[in-house]
Amino acid sequence: MTDTAPAAAPRLTDLVRSAPLSFLGTVTRVGGTSLAALPAEARNERTAVVRVDQVLHAPAAFRQLGGSEVTVQLATDAELLKVGDTAAFFTRGMVYGEGLGVAEVGRLPADAVRQHVSLAATTADELPFSSVQREIRDQDLAAHAAEADAVVVATVVGLEDLGLAEYSEHDPHWWRAALDVSLVESGGAAPGPTTVLYPASGDIRWRAVPKPTPGQLGLWLLHATGGELAARAPYRLLHPEDYQPAQKLAVLRERR
């Protein structure tokens, strides 16, 4: 489904990308906080207590911050605030315990984000910047696909443990998946059968890399296999983004 929200301005996109939490807020106090964990030297005019009027984007644990107060350590290059000022704050976590303390990454005037707030009000279960986050994910997917050696739509038709020797718990434990390629979007692959290696290990280094399953249809971003493994399969899966639902092909084509 095509997103009907207007494209985010570059400044807004950059802030959403770099800050895990943003909100519209009103300053209720300057230079003070109830957070004991905040160092005394930080309690100055660059510390503000802000009431969260509306969460703009956030991890799941912080989506319900609306109405609460948070302590904001203002960015060193940002303008100082006074009680009653409102703004869109872009922040990252700093202190979490008896209350929430965040460090400011950036700030925009409240009016600069009003269009996103009004659009989100008509969309159930979405935060105002959900459309911006989707656009960021689509941009990143297109950039990653451009670096892949082949992008194909294919179905998994077989799996095989290569049984290679392992020397530590961090080894990838390579398996080989047989794919039936129905469409080649880019790269040197051809329609029909091909094979791809993937790390079956659950080690932290490998756990996010896609693990194909029998009958799985999708969009695969493949990377050429090098070294001794090249004789085992022409391609490998190496990144969390290397498998996508087949519908994501439309995203790539829109961004050519």
Side-chain angles (χ1 to χ4, degrees), residues 15-67:
L15 286 171
V16 173
R17 185 187 292 275
S18 60
L21 169 65
S22 68
F23 53 89
L24 280 174
T26 302
V27 178
T28 60
R29 187 166 18 140
V30 174
T33 177
S34 60
L35 293 180
L38 193 68
E41 61 270 19
R43 303 181 193 196
N44 52 38
E45 71 276 3
R46 291 209 163 271
T47 300
V49 177
V50 179
R51 183 185 69 243
V52 178
D53 299 320
Q54 184 167 13
V55 177
L56 300 174
H57 86 287
F62 297 103
R63 290 174 65 99
Q64 305 302 321
L65 279 177

Side-chain angles (χ1 to χ4, degrees), residues 30-221:
V30 174
T33 177
S34 60
L35 293 180
L38 193 68
E41 61 270 19
R43 303 181 193 196
N44 52 38
E45 71 276 3
R46 291 209 163 271
T47 300
V49 177
V50 179
R51 183 185 69 243
V52 178
D53 299 320
Q54 184 167 13
V55 177
L56 300 174
H57 86 287
F62 297 103
R63 290 174 65 99
Q64 305 302 321
L65 279 177
S68 63
E69 289 190 333
V70 300
T71 299
V72 180
Q73 187 70 48
L74 304 182
T76 56
D77 59 348
E79 291 185 9
L80 295 178
L81 295 168
K82 62 182 183 297
V83 173
D85 283 348
T86 61
F89 295 89
F90 297 79
T91 68
R92 62 176 181 270
M94 185 174 61
V95 176
Y96 183 59
E98 77 278 16
L100 178 63
V102 295
E104 184 182 44
V105 174
R107 189 190 313 161
L108 289 176
D111 288 345
V113 302
R114 293 295 183 194
Q115 64 174 344
H116 295 277
V117 173
S118 61
L119 284 168
T122 64
T123 308
D125 301 324
E126 291 222 332
L127 294 178
F129 288 163
S130 293
S131 62
V132 181
Q133 291 180 289
R134 282 194 296 272
E135 177 64 21
I136 289 171
R137 289 193 294 269
D138 289 348
Q139 289 175 359
D140 291 346
L141 174 60
H144 184 58
E147 297 175 349
D149 294 294
V151 177
V152 303
V153 175
T155 302
V156 179
V157 295
L159 301 174
E160 176 188 5
D161 184 350
L162 294 184
L164 300 179
E166 298 184 7
Y167 301 98
S168 80
E169 67 274 17
H170 304 298
D171 286 343
H173 190 182
W174 292 110
W175 277 53
R176 179 166 54 205
L179 301 182
D180 180 17
V181 177
S182 55
L183 182 148
V184 178
E185 181 65 12
S186 64
T194 193
T195 53
V196 57
L197 304 182
Y198 67 94
S201 170
D203 183 74
I204 189 170
R205 179 179 176 183
W206 307 108
R207 69 177 57 154
V209 179
K211 313 292 192 255
T213 58
Q216 186 178 23
L217 169 68
L219 181 69
W220 304 89
L221 283 60

